[in-house]
Every structure is written in C-alpha cells, then in structure tokens.
Amino acid sequence: MVERGVGAIVNVASLLAFSGDWANPQLPRRAVYAASKSFLVTFTQVLASELRDSGVRVQVVCPGVVRSEFHSRQGIDLSAVPRMDPADVVTASLYDLEQGVVVSIPGASDDSALQAVITAQGELQSMTRAVELPDRYLDAGRQ
C-alpha cells in the first residue's frame, strides 16, 4: 500500500499473458503460471468490488512483455520482441488508477476487448445460478 494524499492505493502488478485460444496457447507447459495470473486478475476485480466504498482502490496491471533484466538473467534473448518501457507502464497504471480502472492494460488502444470479457464473465456467472438442467442435457440423457 502506498499512501497518496487521501485514501490509499494498492497496485497489484501482473505480467499477465492473454494467451489466446487453448488449442495453441502462448504459455505451453506453464499452466500454473497462466492460472496464477488469471487468479490475480479475478482476485483484484473481486477485491475492488468489495472495497468500492472504502477509499481503497485496487488495480492489476497487465502490460505484456516489459523491458527489464528478467529474461536476460534467464538467458532468454528477447531483443526481437517489442517490449514496453517500465516508465510507460507506471504512467499508464497511475492514469488508469485515477480513472478508476481496475484491470489496466497499458498496451491496449481501447478497452472494448476487456469489456467484452467482463460482460461474458457476468453472463457465465449468472448461468451458475440455474437450478434446473438446460434441455441439451435432458435430451442427452434420453438417448
């Protein structure tokens, strides 16, 4: 937590890789890594909702690949991979935090894809409240 004037800021940073379709994931053999990043996003979204009226803001930052020594220390050459400057990540994160953005994606030119995911999550969550099986399952049991 970092105090800034009134209230407090919690900034949960994540190098989340939005890994595309599961038939050809960008994170092969890294299920725990991908799942932990997904957990951080969901955890942050729920925590932000729970703290909505407390004066505490929570944010997860998903910048993609950032220029740092992280990969070079592992002997991985990313010189051909576009990487975001750390200062730009911080600038974007703080701007989004001021705007009330919970999931900050500094590389996104607009947030329509993220909004579509959030909408789909809400629709899926509402489906978990059903108390009867949909017809497709009932029909499958009769065959």
Side-chain angles (χ1 to χ4, degrees):
M1 271 188 171
V2 179
E3 188 165 322
R4 288 189 165 248
V6 179
I9 297 173
V10 177
N11 192 344
V12 180
S14 170
L15 301 177
L16 176 68
F18 290 96
S19 56
D21 69 39
W22 294 110
N24 186 18
Q26 299 298 314
L27 299 173
R29 296 174 302 284
R30 296 179 72 187
V32 172
Y33 176 83
S36 66
K37 301 310 177 184
S38 179
F39 166 80
L40 282 175
V41 171
T42 302
F43 174 79
T44 303
Q45 289 171 313
V46 173
L47 186 60
S49 178
E50 291 177 358
L51 296 173
R52 182 179 298 123
D53 298 322
S54 71
V56 175
R57 292 178 286 167
V58 183
Q59 179 187 72
V60 63
V61 182
C62 306
V65 183
V66 177
R67 190 177 309 118
S68 73
E69 74 286 346
F70 178 79
H71 292 99
S72 61
R73 285 188 178 182
Q74 298 176 56
I76 300 171
D77 179 14
L78 290 181
S79 59
V81 176
R83 293 168 287 162
M84 188 166 282
D85 185 77
D88 291 340
V89 174
V90 171
T91 297
S93 170
L94 293 176
Y95 175 83
D96 281 349
L97 191 65
E98 287 298 317
Q99 303 304 310
V101 174
V102 174
V103 181
S104 175
I105 306 174
S109 57
D110 71 65
D111 68 351
S112 60
L114 177 60
Q115 292 308 316
V117 168
I118 292 169
T119 298
Q121 287 173 332
E123 291 173 7
L124 289 171
Q125 287 172 350
S126 70
M127 291 178 198
T128 65
R129 294 181 181 93
V131 294
E132 294 182 20
L133 286 175
D135 289 343
R136 71 178 182 276
Y137 297 115
L138 298 176
D139 292 342
R142 292 183 194 133
Q143 295 176 4

